[in-house]
Amino acid sequence: MTLAEPTSDVRVRFSPAPTGYLHVGSARSALFNWMYAARTEGTMILRVEDTDADRSQDELVQAIRDSLGWLGIDWHEEYRQSDRFDLYRAAAQDFVDRGLAYYCDCSQEDVKARIEAKGESGGYDSFCRDRGLGPAENTVVRFRTPTEGTTSYDDLIRGTVSFENDTLEDFVIVRSSGVPLFHVANAYDDLDMGITHVVRGEDLVNTVPRVLLLRQAMLGSSVFADREGLAEAPVFAHLPLIVNEQRKKLSKRRDDVSVGEFADRGFLPEAMRNYLLTLGWGPRDEGDEIRPIDELVPQFDLADINKAPAFFDIKKLEHFNGEYIRALPLDDFLTRVAPFVAEIDSGLFERMAPFVQGRLKRLDEAPSFLDWVVGDPREPEEKDWRKTMTKEKDRVPEVLDLVIERLADCPWEPEALEKAVFGVGEELGTKTQLPVRMALSGSRSGIPLFEPMVELDRDVVLDRLRAARAKV
RNA sequence: GCCCCCAUCGUUCAGUGGCCUAGGACACCUGCCUUUCACGCAGGCAACACGGGUUCGAAUCCCGUUGGGGGUGCCA
């Protein structure tokens, strides 16, 4: 499903920084925003927060858009913060004019040295607060934070969260390069774009007091003076983090979790999206968790989201994926799996597809089921070989001999092959499939035996059987 | 160090004072089905971190302890 034309006042935004590919954590933030927009028929906004020119890359913006699209996450409006620097700069200038912000020329080393000399901890020490500096080289603009009182807000997921203002430092809002920083841009845009709900990762909670202070200050500026209905701050909902097995926040560097890679590994977007949704949230009706998105949207609510971090369990994702793969109509399956089986003759694959489909957890596993049909049998595991071929060693040679004999002139079609192979078993009073399967494929498991078998030439089959016979 | 947050089976979701001898799903184990595997079906294992309160009654409310995480940038 895609988002409908908005009919409510709800406005949410997903605001990624294009400093890497979309990873599962941000994808989940995007998804929860999207779910809320879908449920409330609100407006979904994609806002690219590329204020850090050094780390932002243009091509990543498109990559992120692609990954969102792959997941079926769409949006109504799109903005780039780099297009809006003048707006943020003006807001910062306005703060300076009104005495809410000031210039500071301290280097990071200076600050650090002073703090250490005083034996204190923390970041900036408000050194330039009252020095009355003007704009100059290597000078930043800092926001003057209150020294007393508390800033608190109600989080839809966490309840009331409050911060003592004196723990807030005078943070930088404009770099010495003149480019505004995240906090101003974020506060300005949320205000300007009329964002009603801020849904994002828990790692952003402690930016809330800063953003709120900035918002309040902006409300006092002439830019927003005449705007109606802005006074109310957005509702915040901070999503629990998604963590790895060490219970640490998923990180791109060590955890290998970009959405694009999941696509490459043969995960279905519907499965991915469905799984992501169950991390920190469950359907209200306590029904099955694997369900089409449009059944889930109506019961979605931000207030129902869990507080505790959730482990990203690839095994469970694979289970979801397997279910979705099995549910695919055959021709749909064929289309989706095509990129993963490009090496295999398409006629052959299409004939084998019904047997492969039900056994996959990921689409990229498809070729492994046909390797022995397309090429040589795999080198059997020592343990498996022994178990299959020598455990009942008096029978296997007989079985193989007789199978070779029967197959020499039997009609080359599945039913006939099955009859021949099983017939040997009946004659000898033993099972025959496993030794034959092992001889042909090098494995004890796989797709049904006789259909792929006819895809091989009779000589090839007989050669493999003889080779196995020689080994037992 | 300082600030903020979190705490139910191995994992995940449910449970918002009595329906809980705590439920579902994944994983794992055992059967059944099947001359392979997978699917399916039937079972099994397995948790309210600890200590104090409040209450007739606490997984659910309060306090503390412990443990874990996030933040602490001229990143977002």
Side-chain angles (χ1 to χ4, degrees), chain A residues 71-252:
Chain A
L71 281 169
I73 295 174
D74 58 337
W75 55 93
H76 299 101
E77 300 173 18
E78 181 170 343
Y79 304 92
R80 289 278 289 265
Q81 288 190 327
S82 51
D83 295 335
R84 300 164 56 84
F85 282 163
D86 290 346
L87 263 17
Y88 315 139
R89 255 193 292 260
Q93 184 57 51
D94 176 66
F95 290 166
V96 174
D97 294 346
R98 290 192 287 142
L100 301 173
Y102 58 90
Y103 291 98
C104 165
D105 62 0
C106 298
S107 70
Q108 293 181 76
E109 295 75 47
D110 292 344
V111 176
K112 208 174 156 196
R114 280 201 304 270
I115 300 278
E116 272 171 23
K118 279 188 265 185
E120 289 173 1
S121 67
Y124 185 62
D125 59 356
S126 307
F127 186 77
C128 298
R129 245 185 184 217
D130 302 307
R131 290 175 67 206
L133 263 28
E137 282 284 292
N138 295 323
T139 298
V140 300
V141 178
R142 288 183 183 272
F143 187 74
R144 194 184 294 269
T145 54
T147 51
E148 50 188 39
T150 65
T151 300
S152 64
Y153 78 97
D154 291 320
D155 195 298
L156 228 36
I157 297 170
R158 267 141 235 287
T160 304
V161 182
S162 50
F163 299 82
E164 297 298 324
N165 287 338
D166 63 3
T167 64
L168 266 27
E169 287 156 10
D170 288 353
F171 55 96
V172 176
I173 55 176
V174 183
R175 296 172 168 89
S176 52
S177 66
V179 177
L181 267 103
F182 157 72
H183 299 289
V184 230
N186 192 271
Y188 188 96
D189 283 345
D190 282 350
L191 192 53
D192 191 33
M193 297 171 189
I195 301 301
T196 58
H197 300 258
V198 174
V199 183
R200 25 115 94 148
E202 192 196 345
D203 50 345
L204 273 328
V205 231
N206 45 25
T207 71
V208 174
R210 292 195 273 267
V211 163
L212 249 22
L213 254 15
L214 288 169
R215 180 185 180 96
Q216 204 171 24
M218 285 169 187
L219 248 13
S221 84
S222 52
V223 180
F224 294 106
D226 304 328
R227 292 253 221 129
E228 296 290 326
L230 291 178
E232 217 164 303
V235 175
F236 289 89
H238 286 93
L239 270 17
L241 263 13
I242 299 183
V243 298
N244 61 20
E245 43 280 277
Q246 278 82 241
R247 297 254 127 210
K248 304 253 195 242
K249 175 170 116 171
L250 242 34
S251 115
K252 270 225 72 178

Side-chain angles (χ1 to χ4, degrees), chain A residues 417-434:
Chain A
L417 292 176
E418 176 169 344
K419 219 175 142 196
V421 172
F422 285 178
V424 169
E426 275 158 35
E427 259 176 68
L428 300 179
T430 184
K431 290 183 180 177
T432 55
Q433 179 174 172
L434 239 19

Side-chain angles (χ1 to χ4, degrees), chain A residues 388-390 392-401 435 472:
Chain A
T388 316
M389 304 305 245
T390 58
E392 301 172 83
K393 62 163 163 294
D394 352 321
R395 316 304 314 256
V396 172
E398 292 177 63
V399 167
L400 258 20
D401 282 337
V472 293

